[in-house]
Amino acid sequence: MVLLRPGGEWHIIVLNSNCKPVGGCDEKSPQYQWLKADLTTHPARCTLAYWHHPRWSSGEHGSFESMQPIWSLLARSGVDIVLSGHDHDYERFQPLDADGHPDPRHGTMQFVVGTGGRSLRPLGNPLPTSAIGTDATFGVLRLELYPDHYSWEFVTIPGANFTDSGSAVCH
């Protein structure tokens, strides 16, 4: 669930992480070239991108290496949030730079939200940059997008103990 607050001029980008059918996800691929042009054409203080397979994940399927070139471009461009699913768990990462290292001031925050209701699957050992995660409850991520910042809250089913919420300023 995403709530865009009045006055917010967020740039929202939808990408395809099924790389092979779309001609790849590397620097020479059509999708990468489109994204590079889109980020140049639509500069925004606040930007969110989403796709299916997570670039970083401690879940059953793990990190999706094929999205590294796109992740790097987004992070270098100052994208604030990346959303993905695929793993049936919830995990939020520290803000990360283009190489996946912590960058609390300018990094991109990634959320893996695969807790919509089909089934849950176990998280493995958390990656060093994982901030928090759960594989024990269904839920949704509530994002509120303001003109210069955002807030998040993982909303669980009734009776669940897990919570995650916070806010951050756009780059």
Side-chain angles (χ1 to χ4, degrees):
M1 163 187 338
V2 176
L3 299 172
L4 185 57
R5 296 297 182 186
E9 294 191 16
W10 278 72
H11 184 57
I12 311 280
I13 303 166
V14 181
L15 298 165
N16 192 339
S17 61
N18 289 302
C19 297
K20 191 172 182 178
V22 296
C25 294
D26 63 13
E27 292 87 354
K28 294 181 181 174
S29 71
Q31 179 171 236
Y32 183 97
Q33 293 301 316
W34 173 86
L35 176 59
K36 188 175 177 181
D38 179 75
L39 289 166
T40 301
T41 306
H42 299 97
R45 170 125 195 234
C46 303
T47 304
L48 178 150
Y50 69 95
W51 60 81
H52 184 71
H53 303 90
R55 170 58 193 100
W56 311 104
S57 175
S58 305
E60 180 179 39
H61 298 294
S63 301
F64 202 67
E65 296 282 332
S66 297
M67 291 303 286
Q68 180 57 40
I70 286 178
W71 173 272
S72 292
L73 177 59
L74 292 169
R76 285 191 315 269
S77 300
V79 168
D80 301 285
I81 303 171
V82 167
L83 301 175
S84 59
H86 194 57
D87 278 325
H88 293 199
D89 54 53
Y90 172 80
E91 188 171 22
R92 177 176 54 82
F93 285 81
Q94 299 171 39
L96 302 174
D97 70 11
D99 297 317
H101 301 116
D103 182 353
R105 291 194 53 187
H106 303 290
T108 300
M109 179 113 42
Q110 181 191 261
F111 295 87
V112 178
V113 188
T115 52
R118 181 176 180 270
S119 61
L120 296 172
R121 296 185 185 140
L123 280 166
N125 291 326
L127 294 176
T129 55
S130 178
I132 193 167
T134 186
D135 57 10
T137 185
F138 295 103
V140 297
L141 180 65
R142 177 188 173 108
L143 288 172
E144 293 196 29
L145 307 178
Y146 297 90
D148 61 350
H149 70 285
Y150 62 96
S151 64
W152 72 87
E153 177 185 12
F154 185 69
V155 181
T156 64
I157 59 173
N161 287 350
F162 181 81
T163 62
D164 182 38
S165 61
S167 63
V169 175
C170 296
H171 302 95

